[in-house]
Amino acid sequence: MPRPKRQLLATAEETSNPPAVLGPEQAIACVKRGEGKNLYTVELAGGTSLLVELPSRFRSTIWIKRGGFVLVNTVAFDDRVNKLNGEILNVIRDEKLWRKQSYWPGEFSKKSVYPPNSDEEDSTMGKMPPISDSDAEE
């Protein structure tokens, strides 16, 4: 039997609001790939890769895409001997709201498509093409 709609909506609402502060064991990570069976490889801001598990309350409720961001508890499985390095606490869906928080890592800031040293004089947008010498002689 499927889960009640109110439970799905409550889970979705819970993931949309960022916490005021992060605990010392919590970190924001970027999802690199799904390993199967609710396991994901994520990369922390420092470049460390972790294998994390998606808790049962998010399974078949909220989908995680590659390149998305999650909030990870890095000490959840320290007492167990296995490959898992943590657990996903929250799936970041409203990325704009989360980026405004003071704890958002600078490594995950949006990169500009254009290089920072691009000269505006080099741009030909909205300009007529230059007249070549062969066209001027005619």
Side-chain angles (χ1 to χ4, degrees):
M1 198 160 116
R3 295 167 66 180
K5 186 76 167 174
R6 66 180 176 276
Q7 193 174 15
L8 294 175
L9 293 174
T11 303
E13 178 66 28
E14 180 183 325
T15 62
S16 64
N17 299 326
V21 293
L22 294 182
E25 69 280 349
Q26 297 175 347
I28 295 176
C30 180
V31 177
K32 290 302 174 185
R33 65 184 219 209
E35 299 292 341
K37 287 290 186 185
N38 303 307
L39 299 176
Y40 293 89
T41 300
V42 298
E43 186 175 311
L44 297 177
T48 309
S49 291
L50 302 174
L51 183 65
V52 296
E53 181 183 32
L54 186 68
S56 60
R57 66 187 171 120
F58 291 131
R59 295 177 189 167
S60 300
T61 304
I62 297 196
W63 306 105
I64 301 176
K65 64 180 181 175
R66 200 172 342 139
F69 295 99
V70 292
L71 182 63
V72 177
N73 184 356
T74 56
V75 296
F77 295 110
D78 282 351
D79 56 339
R80 295 167 61 186
V81 180
N82 57 12
K83 297 181 203 175
L84 295 177
N85 302 108
E87 180 182 31
I88 296 174
L89 295 177
N90 204 341
V91 179
I92 297 174
R93 293 180 16 193
D94 188 7
E95 199 174 307
K96 267 187 178 177
L97 188 61
W98 283 74
R99 284 185 186 275
K100 294 177 184 176
Q101 302 298 324
S102 61
Y103 50 77
W104 187 266
E107 290 86 354
F108 294 146
S109 62
K110 288 200 174 209
K111 307 275 190 286
S112 175
V113 177
Y114 302 105
N117 296 332
S118 65
D119 295 329
E120 291 189 24
E121 295 175 5
D122 295 341
S123 175
T124 59
M125 185 168 184
K127 296 180 183 176
M128 294 293 293
I131 300 174
S132 62
D133 294 333
S134 61
D135 291 341
E137 292 176 2
E138 293 177 0

